[in-house]
Coordinates of all heavy atoms in Angstrom, one line a residue:
G419 N -6.0 24.4 9.1 CA -6.6 25.3 10.2 C -5.7 25.1 11.4 O -4.5 25.3 11.4
I420 N -6.4 24.8 12.6 CA -5.7 24.7 13.8 C -5.0 23.3 13.9 O -5.7 22.3 13.7 CB -6.6 24.9 15.0 CG1 -7.1 26.4 15.0 CG2 -6.0 24.6 16.3 CD1 -8.2 26.8 15.9
L421 N -3.7 23.3 14.3 CA -3.0 22.1 14.3 C -2.3 21.9 15.7 O -2.3 22.8 16.5 CB -1.8 22.1 13.3 CG -2.2 22.4 11.9 CD1 -1.0 22.4 11.0 CD2 -3.2 21.3 11.4
E422 N -1.9 20.6 16.0 CA -1.1 20.4 17.1 C 0.1 21.4 17.0 O 0.5 21.8 16.0 CB -0.6 19.0 17.3 CG 0.3 18.5 16.1 CD 0.7 17.1 16.3 OE1 1.3 16.7 17.3 OE2 0.5 16.3 15.3
E423 N 0.6 21.9 18.2 CA 1.5 23.0 18.2 C 2.8 22.7 17.6 O 3.4 21.6 17.8 CB 1.7 23.5 19.7 CG 0.4 24.1 20.1 CD 0.6 25.0 21.4 OE1 1.7 25.2 21.8 OE2 -0.4 25.4 21.9
T424 N 3.4 23.7 16.9 CA 4.7 23.6 16.3 C 5.5 24.7 17.0 O 5.0 25.4 17.9 CB 4.7 23.9 14.8 OG1 4.3 25.2 14.6 CG2 3.7 23.0 14.0
S425 N 6.8 24.8 16.5 CA 7.7 25.9 17.2 C 7.2 27.3 16.9 O 7.6 28.3 17.5 CB 9.1 25.7 16.8 OG 9.2 25.7 15.4
M426 N 6.3 27.4 15.9 CA 5.7 28.7 15.6 C 5.0 29.3 16.9 O 5.0 30.5 17.1 CB 4.6 28.6 14.5 CG 4.2 29.9 13.9 SD 3.1 29.6 12.4 CE 4.2 30.0 11.1
R427 N 4.4 28.4 17.7 CA 3.7 28.8 18.9 C 4.7 29.0 20.1 O 4.6 28.3 21.1 CB 2.6 27.8 19.3 CG 1.6 27.6 18.3 CD 0.7 28.8 18.1 NE -0.1 29.1 19.2 CZ -1.4 29.0 19.3 NH1 -2.1 28.5 18.3 NH2 -2.1 29.3 20.4
S428 N 5.7 29.9 20.0 CA 6.7 30.2 21.1 C 5.9 30.9 22.2 O 4.8 31.5 22.0 CB 7.8 31.0 20.5 OG 7.3 32.2 20.1
P429 N 6.5 31.0 23.4 CA 5.9 31.8 24.4 C 5.6 33.2 24.0 O 4.5 33.8 24.3 CB 6.9 31.7 25.6 CG 7.6 30.4 25.3 CD 7.7 30.2 23.8
A430 N 6.5 33.8 23.3 CA 6.3 35.2 22.9 C 5.2 35.3 21.9 O 4.4 36.3 22.0 CB 7.6 35.7 22.2
Y431 N 5.0 34.3 21.0 CA 3.9 34.3 20.0 C 2.6 34.2 20.8 O 1.7 34.9 20.5 CB 4.1 33.0 19.1 CG 3.1 32.9 18.0 CD1 3.3 33.3 16.7 CD2 1.8 32.3 18.4 CE1 2.3 33.1 15.8 CE2 0.9 32.1 17.4 CZ 1.1 32.5 16.1 OH 0.2 32.4 15.1
N432 N 2.6 33.2 21.8 CA 1.3 33.1 22.5 C 0.9 34.4 23.3 O -0.3 34.6 23.4 CB 1.4 31.9 23.5 CG 1.3 30.5 22.7 OD1 0.7 30.6 21.6 ND2 1.7 29.5 23.2
E433 N 2.0 35.0 23.9 CA 1.7 36.3 24.6 C 1.1 37.3 23.7 O 0.1 38.0 24.0 CB 2.9 36.8 25.2 CG 2.9 36.7 26.7 CD 4.3 37.1 27.3 OE1 4.8 38.2 27.0 OE2 5.0 36.2 27.9
A434 N 1.7 37.4 22.5 CA 1.2 38.4 21.5 C -0.2 38.0 21.1 O -1.1 38.9 20.9 CB 2.2 38.4 20.3
L435 N -0.4 36.8 20.8 CA -1.7 36.3 20.3 C -2.8 36.6 21.4 O -3.9 37.1 21.0 CB -1.7 34.8 20.0 CG -2.9 34.2 19.2 CD1 -3.0 34.9 17.8 CD2 -2.8 32.7 19.1
A436 N -2.5 36.4 22.6 CA -3.4 36.6 23.8 C -3.8 38.1 23.7 O -4.9 38.4 23.9 CB -2.8 36.1 25.0
Y437 N -2.8 38.9 23.6 CA -3.1 40.4 23.7 C -4.0 40.8 22.5 O -5.0 41.5 22.7 CB -1.8 41.2 23.6 CG -2.1 42.7 23.8 CD1 -2.4 43.3 25.0 CD2 -2.1 43.5 22.6 CE1 -2.8 44.6 25.1 CE2 -2.4 44.9 22.7 CZ -2.8 45.4 23.9 OH -3.1 46.7 24.0

Side-chain angles (χ1 to χ4, degrees):
I420 293 173
L421 304 178
E422 61 180 305
E423 289 194 9
T424 66
S425 56
M426 194 174 254
R427 298 292 294 252
S428 64
Y431 180 102
N432 281 338
E433 249 172 60
L435 192 64
Y437 183 77

